[in-house]
Amino acid sequence: MKPLTRIRSRTAVLAHANIDTDRIIPARFLTTTERTGLGRHAFEDWRYRADGSDDPDFELNRPEARGCRILVAGRNFGCGSSREHAPWALLDFGIQAVLSSEIADIFRSNALKNGLLAVVVSEAEHRWLLDHPGVELSIDVAGSFIELPDGGRFAFELDGFARHCLLQGVDQLGFIRQHADAIDAYEQRVEQAA
Amino acid sequence: MTTPRTLFEKVWDTHQVVAEKADAPAVLYIDLHLVHEVTSPQAFDELRRRELRVRRPDRTLATLDHSTPTLPAAADGTRPYVTPQAEAQVRTLESNCAAFGVELHGWDSDARGIVHVIGPELGATQPGMTIVCGDSHTATHGAFGALAFGIGTTEVGHVLATQCLLQRKPKTFAIHVDNALPADVSAKDLVLHVIATIGVGGGTGHVLEFRGPAIEALSMEERMTVCNMAIEAGARAGMIAPDQTTFDWLKNRPRAPQGDAWNRAVAHWQTLKSDDGARYDREVRIDAATVCPTVTYGTHPGMAAAMDAPVPAAANAQEARALEYMQVRAGKAMAGMPVDVVFVGSCTNSRLPDLRAAAEVLRGRSVAEGVRMLVVPGSESVRRAAEAEGLHEVFTAAGAEWRVPGCSMCIAMNGDLAQPGQLVVSTSNRNFEGRQGKGARTVLASPATAAASAVAGRIADPRTLMNEEQAA
């Protein structure tokens, strides 16, 4: 994972609450054995019309949303399945951060492991972000704050370990493997007790 | 005196290889890792890239369920996969399991089935274990007093390579279920009622513990139905303390401890309950006696109500959109709504008692004209048991299709799906927009409600259907 320190972008807004992982990437695209190439199917059933052309009514198809790397989404974003294909699809689509007042646990965990910054903001801040689509934000990972165009800041909570991993591009499997002795000892202890 | 602990805390505490610190999550040991074809290929690739092996193949168990067709193989053995890619995904798991020495219940196994059905059936799922799978419905195994939760593919790789996960300790949430469920009201009705009460995101960040007399009275299959849907309230996991019902169900299963080891295991399992005075971060009380046959009316499992109660008015624009998508009118009951497809199956409701409940309603009756009904057993073992009782004949005589085990129309990535606009009464767990096919409208329900709706051609209360015909 590449280190992630700052994201600067205008926002795109999907105000719907409870956007589930089937919305983000429908199950019929999960037969892949790769991590890449899912971006063209992100939000597939909202994004395209029956003839395959872009649906102009879908928020992310609007000209002002093109190229936005920060997605502001309604409450409880990413609920549903554990498919890591959801953050893979968003990243491949060009999204680097998701902001909401509530983000589902497994989605959030999967997102952070892939360098997709999933951030929970307060209800009031969330309301403001929903009401200001296209605002230019700068997200500072180290400082855990979102900077607004007028210099104002929304601070957010980010688990210290998750922040460290994002900033340093930490390989979490490598991190667990550093505890190999403790894992060996644990297994010996359990097997002796059995 | 030691501080009273919850069931969750007891399991968590004994599995910390490295304790959680302010600046680092716990390294948590995983006793059982369940694997299927959809969320594992990229994880095995990661092991290959790093030249790692599977640390504990003996704690890893794989099956084929999500991408698999539920129509039988042709005479020459070829299977009707929905796409070549689906078949390639199955083949990839077969070759990964062979290469890494993982036990696979594939096409040739008489134990193959939905991952959350076969884990318990084989006795691989046991009280007090930590269990993970790249599937959010891993919560199912919490019915045995295990801490069981879904993980992503990166974490599947972590567990394959190290048998451990990095985890922050979740919060606890007690769901006290008082009194008893009325006769003919099922565990599915109860869990839909619970999710409607606490909300689709009401469990986020928490492990639910279902407890109280109404829970203790449930069979293991019913407990699995309840814990299965913990994730539908956003919870990481759902748990129920193991008791004699649990031990009786597990005894003599292939992977359960035998002989003296069984007695020692039971003695340990009996300690796995929340201590008197243990504190939960949140608590809620539910009165089981007030639960009615319940169905969903919107596009997430929290939008659920008694089927004969008026659908609540939309509280916001999203709910209004959901009602519009479902073609449901606020103020009108769901009962009576015309049905196109009925699906009995999935890791929520595909076990033998679920099939019996559906068959009881269908026996001597017919699926209404124009309605398609699929019955998909959860495993080969369920299929054999159902066929031994003649349930398959009840289903086919009524005009339903009796299929080969798999996830089928719950995830609709295997060829089983509904057409745009069709209304599906489904015993599965998710009614998201498009979940069962683009534009398909899903109503979640119990097996008995699904069967009654198939007969009536409309959403129907199984109690009414059975009573009316008795009176006639």
Side-chain angles (χ1 to χ4, degrees), chain A residues 70-120:
Chain A
I70 300 176
L71 177 66
V72 176
R75 181 176 47 82
N76 197 27
F77 185 81
C79 61
S81 92
S82 63
R83 63 189 68 163
E84 201 160 313
H85 309 69
W88 294 339
L90 291 175
L91 283 163
D92 197 43
F93 180 71
I95 303 291
Q96 293 182 324
V98 177
L99 312 181
S100 180
S101 56
E102 185 182 321
I103 297 179
D105 289 334
I106 308 178
F107 174 83
R108 191 158 186 243
S109 162
N110 285 340
L112 292 171
K113 285 187 170 59
N114 285 276
L116 173 67
L117 186 62
V119 164
V120 174

Side-chain angles (χ1 to χ4, degrees), chain A residues 16-17 20 22-23 30-32 34 46 80 82 84 105 110 113 159 161 171 177 184 186-187 191, chain B residues 14 25 29 42 50 52 55-56 85 89 135 152-155 168 200 205 318 321 430 432-433 435:
Chain A
H16 313 254
D20 57 78
D22 280 86
R23 285 282 97 199
L30 305 190
T31 50
T32 180
E34 311 286 330
W46 272 345
S82 63
E84 201 160 313
D105 289 334
N110 285 340
K113 285 187 170 59
D159 176 77
F161 182 74
D171 162 27
R177 294 185 71 226
D184 288 342
Y186 177 90
E187 286 184 334
E191 264 138 54
Chain B
T14 53
Y29 196 78
Q42 299 87 349
R50 295 174 189 244
L52 296 172
R55 182 183 174 94
R56 293 296 297 264
Q85 205 176 25
Q89 193 172 55
D135 189 286
T153 298
T154 298
E155 291 182 317
R168 286 287 181 192
V200 69
Q318 275 90 45
R321 185 196 149 91
R430 288 193 174 131
F432 299 150
E433 247 185 80
R435 169 85 177 182

Side-chain angles (χ1 to χ4, degrees), chain B residues 295-299 303-315 319-320 322-324 326-335 337 443 459:
Chain B
V295 296
T296 57
Y297 56 83
T299 54
M303 296 177 83
M307 72 161 76
D308 47 15
V311 168
E319 288 190 7
L323 296 188
E324 190 188 330
M326 289 301 295
Q327 300 169 34
V328 163
R329 276 223 311 275
K332 201 164 176 279
M334 288 301 285
M337 199 168 169
V443 173
I459 295 177

